[in-house]
Amino acid sequence: MKNLLIVANWKENKNQKEALDFLSEFSKVFRPRQDVKVVICPQYLVVPTISEFVKSNNLQVELGVQDVSKFSGGAHTGEISAGEAREFVKFSIIGHSERRAQGETDEDVQEKVEMAVKNGIEPIVCVVNENILVPQETKIVAYEPVEAIGTGNPDTPENAERVASEIKSKNNQVRNVLYGGSVTSQNVRSFTETQNIDGVLVGGASLDPLEFAQIIEQC
Ligand code: PGA
């Protein structure tokens, strides 16, 4: 049996009240599994609140951020460093296609990954296909074809498996490849039952506590 990683990417959603409402619903229905690690990546402002909730309720989830600065700190208005984020989180999504569309380059991704690793944060590097550069320090890659993100049209499990296997053979250091793009509780298993896909990165469907708990149950 393989160990799976199920990552929620909340993107620019949920204020403090909405995040707490999610957690109180989710904690009622979530059944932790030995073989599944769950990571929630909210927007920065609610990270401390969620971290507090997770600790005081002993909720079996890890936290992540959706990006880290490529700088270590200082005069960079609007940035949050990996050193600051590590107080609360163990993971960071890096290089999501929605950030690359805003101008983030392979070089930025490389610097951010280095910064994350230096600070003990595990990067989850997003790529849109098997030809995108994966920084040397990366152990977790999320394959997310742009046309599958938020469209309700996921990639086929066969193609996703092919890409996952190519990513692993091109990048020896990569341990886990996740699939992302319109994952739901209905289709998650078709991806996680393949040989080389080790979990999923979930956007829209992770915003609903019942649906997200179902994804964990069905994977
Ligand atoms: P989606 O987003 O699940 O809403 O398609 C996935 C992602 O962008 O990480």
Side-chain angles (χ1 to χ4, degrees), residues 9 11 96 98 144 148-151 180-183 201-205:
N9 176 11
K11 307 190 179 182
H96 191 283
E98 288 158 9
E144 297 204 308
I149 296 178
T151 59
S182 298
V183 170
L201 179 52
V202 191

Side-chain angles (χ1 to χ4, degrees), residues 49-99:
T49 305
I50 297 189
S51 167
E52 189 54 46
F53 184 102
V54 165
K55 274 190 211 137
S56 52
N57 292 274
N58 194 24
L59 192 62
Q60 299 300 300
V61 305
E62 304 282 355
L63 292 189
V65 283
Q66 300 168 16
D67 186 30
V68 289
S69 174
K70 64 179 176 181
F71 307 108
S72 59
H76 304 287
T77 302
E79 296 284 338
I80 292 177
S81 73
E84 288 153 355
R86 77 167 166 202
E87 207 179 325
F88 300 102
V89 306
K90 291 211 179 115
F91 293 85
S92 178
I93 297 169
I94 293 179
H96 191 283
S97 58
E98 288 158 9
R99 299 206 55 80

Side-chain angles (χ1 to χ4, degrees), residues 12 25 35 54 67 79 98 102 122 124 150:
E12 195 181 1
E25 285 306 306
D35 59 328
V54 165
D67 186 30
E79 296 284 338
E98 288 158 9
Q102 300 294 318
E122 193 70 68
I124 300 169

